[in-house]
Amino acid sequence: MKTLADFDFSFQPSVKRDQLESLHTLSFIERRENVVFLGPPGVGKTHLAVSLAVAAAEGGRRVYYATLADLIASLEEAQQAGRLSHRLRTLVFPSLMIIDEIGYLPLSRTGAMLFFQLMSRRYEHASTVLTSNKGFEDWGEVFGDDVMAAALIDRLLHHCHIVTSGEQLPHAPAPGPRRALGGCVAQTPGSPYRRPSRQEA
């Protein structure tokens, strides 16, 4: 069982301990905020994501974990069986969802659209933790559609904590009109990114 206590911060000094300890209070779940772990393979992203899942489960919250590939496969299977609406409703319910390994495999257009539907339904209803070896500027390639990727990133980062580990991936602005998204990583540890109002933008 992977917990925060098992994580070797000396192995990944780029990870801010105070940010992770703040996340493990699970207050982000109460606020329905998201967490995105970014970094190259082998730097502990999955360990940290799973440690949040363990803490949430121990706290009595319902948790769902899947790799992105497995999640998409389950959605496609439900769609083919005529049960997509029921499956989407089921996946909105967990207070914490962990989606691992975004960026390792490209998605079909159908898969990308199904994932977008799920994230749109969970938006501001429940927290999602994602891990990716790709910077946001590469998500258009992963999802096969720059516009869809921009809309997805917009929803994810509306209330979001960004955790980088290993060599920092570039954080170029997301494709599409909301170019300000690229600045989300300049937050103080533990503080979520919040999309500026039109008056602030």
Side-chain angles (χ1 to χ4, degrees), residues 128-146:
T128 305
V129 174
L130 305 97
T131 75
S132 180
N133 66 334
K134 302 286 188 183
F136 295 123
E137 79 287 353
D138 293 326
W139 282 29
E141 180 180 350
V142 173
F143 291 94
D145 186 313
D146 285 346

Side-chain angles (χ1 to χ4, degrees), residues 78-157:
Q79 184 180 50
Q80 293 168 6
R83 296 183 289 103
L84 180 60
S85 294
H86 178 267
R87 182 63 175 158
L88 288 171
R89 286 195 300 271
T90 299
L91 291 174
V92 170
F93 184 72
S95 58
L96 182 63
M97 174 177 283
I98 312 292
I99 303 174
D100 203 6
E101 298 182 359
I102 294 176
Y104 286 87
L105 296 171
L107 300 181
S108 67
R109 179 162 182 78
T110 298
M113 292 176 65
L114 291 172
F115 183 64
F116 180 78
Q117 286 184 57
L118 174 60
M119 290 298 97
S120 294
R121 293 196 180 205
R122 288 184 61 82
Y123 174 57
E124 295 194 322
H125 287 281
S127 295
T128 305
V129 174
L130 305 97
T131 75
S132 180
N133 66 334
K134 302 286 188 183
F136 295 123
E137 79 287 353
D138 293 326
W139 282 29
E141 180 180 350
V142 173
F143 291 94
D145 186 313
D146 285 346
V147 175
M148 187 186 303
L152 173 63
I153 292 168
D154 188 40
R155 285 161 175 76
L156 288 174
L157 299 190

